[in-house]
C-alpha cells in the first residue's frame, strides 16, 4: 500500500544492498499494489520528474504515477489496459464534493491485485478524514485491500502476459560492483568498498 509516491525512473539503484533496486527486479514474484496519489501534489509530482525530497538532485527522476503502475503491471503480467472508473467520491472533513478516478488492472495472476486511485485536486496531503466512497483512506481502505489480498481475491489468469516466476527458496542474487555508483559524500565509497563492511557502511 503506497501513498503519495511512485517508482523512480532513475537511478535504477540507490546503493549496493539487496533491497536498493528502484524498480521491480526481473525474475521477482508478482506484487499486489494499492497506490493513492493526489493529482496536484507539488512535492511528489503526479506526472513524475524531479522532486525537492531529493534535494533537487537531477539524477533522481520519478516516473509518472501511471507509468509506475504500468511498470508494475508488466512485472506482474497484468493487463496493460486498466479499467478506468470515474466518479469515485473523494471527501474530507472540510469538503465532501471531491472526485477520484480508479484504475483497476485486470488479468493479473491469481490473488494479485493492482489498483491506483488518482485524487483530483488533492496535494501531498489528502486532508483530515480523507475517504473514497465513504471508506477512510487511513486506515480502512488499506485494511480492506490487505484483507482482499490475503483472501486471494482479485487476479485470475494473467491475461496481460505470463507473470515473472518467484525465485526458488534459498536462491541468492549474485553481487557485482557497479562502476557508476558511489556514496553520496565520498566518491571513494564504491560498491566494493561498502561491501567490505556492509553492516556499517550500508547505513551511509
Amino acid at each position: 500500500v503506497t501513498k503519495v509516491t511512485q517508482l523512480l525512473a532513475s537511478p535504477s539503484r540507490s546503493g549496493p544492498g539487496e533491497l536498493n533496486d528502484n524498480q521491480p527486479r526481473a525474475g521477482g514474484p508478482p506484487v499486489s499494489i494499492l497506490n493513492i496519489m493526489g493529482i496536484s501534489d507539488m512535492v511528489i509530482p503526479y506526472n513524475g520528474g524531479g522532486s525537492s525530497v531529493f534535494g533537487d538532485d537531477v539524477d533522481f527522476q520519478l516516473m509518472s504515477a501511471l507509468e509506475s503502475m504500468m511498470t508494475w503491471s508488466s512485472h506482474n503480467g497484468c493487463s496493460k489496459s486498466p479499467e478506468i472508473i470515474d466518479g469515485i467520491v473523494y471527501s474530507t472533513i472540510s469538503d465532501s464534493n471531491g472526485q477520484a478516478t480508479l484504475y483497476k488492472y485486470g488479468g493479473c495472476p491469481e490473488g494479485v491485485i493492482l489498483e491506483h486511485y488518482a485524487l483530483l485536486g488533492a496535494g501531498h496531503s489528502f486532508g483530515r478524514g480523507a475517504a473514497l466512497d465513504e471508506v477512510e483512506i487511513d486506515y480502512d481502505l488499506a485494511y480492506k485491500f490487505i484483507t482482499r489480498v490475503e483472501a486471494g481475491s482479485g487476479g485470475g489468469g494473467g491475461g496481460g502476459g505470463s507473470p515473472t516466476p518467484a525465485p526458488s527458496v534459498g536462491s541468492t542474487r549474485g553481487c557485482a560492483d557497479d562502476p557508476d555508483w558511489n556514496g553520496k559524500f565520498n566518491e571513494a565509497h564504491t560498491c566494493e568498498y561498502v561491501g567490505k563492511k556492509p553492516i556499517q557502511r550500508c547505513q551511509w
Side-chain angles (χ1 to χ4, degrees):
V1 178
T2 62
K3 297 192 306 179
V4 298
T5 190
Q6 62 264 56
L7 292 170
L8 278 165
S10 65
S12 59
R13 295 173 64 215
S14 292
E18 282 288 308
L19 303 178
N20 281 322
D21 293 292
N22 292 325
Q23 293 106 32
R25 183 184 301 174
V31 181
S32 290
I33 300 286
L34 170 62
N35 176 255
I36 310 165
M37 289 198 64
I39 293 287
S40 301
D41 193 333
M42 301 298 290
V43 179
I44 304 293
Y46 186 86
N47 290 321
S51 170
S52 60
V53 300
F54 304 118
D56 294 319
D57 187 336
V58 296
D59 290 331
F60 288 84
Q61 295 292 313
L62 293 157
M63 297 182 186
S64 71
L66 293 181
E67 182 184 4
S68 180
M69 294 304 296
M70 187 60 70
T71 299
W72 283 115
S73 176
S74 296
H75 173 78
N76 287 343
C78 305
S79 170
K80 294 179 174 60
S81 299
E83 177 185 3
I84 301 174
I85 302 173
D86 294 314
I88 305 293
V89 177
Y90 161 49
S91 61
T92 65
I93 289 176
S94 60
D95 184 1
S96 61
N97 297 314
Q99 296 287 311
T101 299
L102 170 61
Y103 295 78
K104 297 180 67 173
Y105 295 79
C108 297
E110 195 68 38
V112 175
I113 306 173
L114 192 62
E115 296 178 350
H116 167 69
Y117 285 94
L119 279 53
L120 280 65
H124 196 63
S125 172
F126 299 154
R128 291 182 58 199
L132 295 169
D133 280 347
E134 300 184 344
V135 178
E136 286 199 21
I137 295 173
D138 292 333
Y139 292 89
D140 294 343
L141 188 71
Y143 176 79
K144 288 176 180 291
F145 178 80
I146 292 169
T147 300
R148 288 161 55 205
V149 172
E150 291 179 340
S153 53
S162 300
T164 52
S168 60
V169 175
S171 66
T172 59
R173 182 188 184 198
C175 183
D177 189 28
D178 183 347
D180 297 322
W181 183 89
N182 57 260
K184 183 175 181 180
F185 300 108
N186 193 326
E187 292 185 1
H189 294 166
T190 62
C191 288
E192 180 182 8
Y193 179 82
V194 172
K196 290 178 180 178
K197 293 184 178 180
I199 293 177
Q200 174 192 0
R201 294 173 178 172
C202 280
Q203 304 304 315
W204 296 347

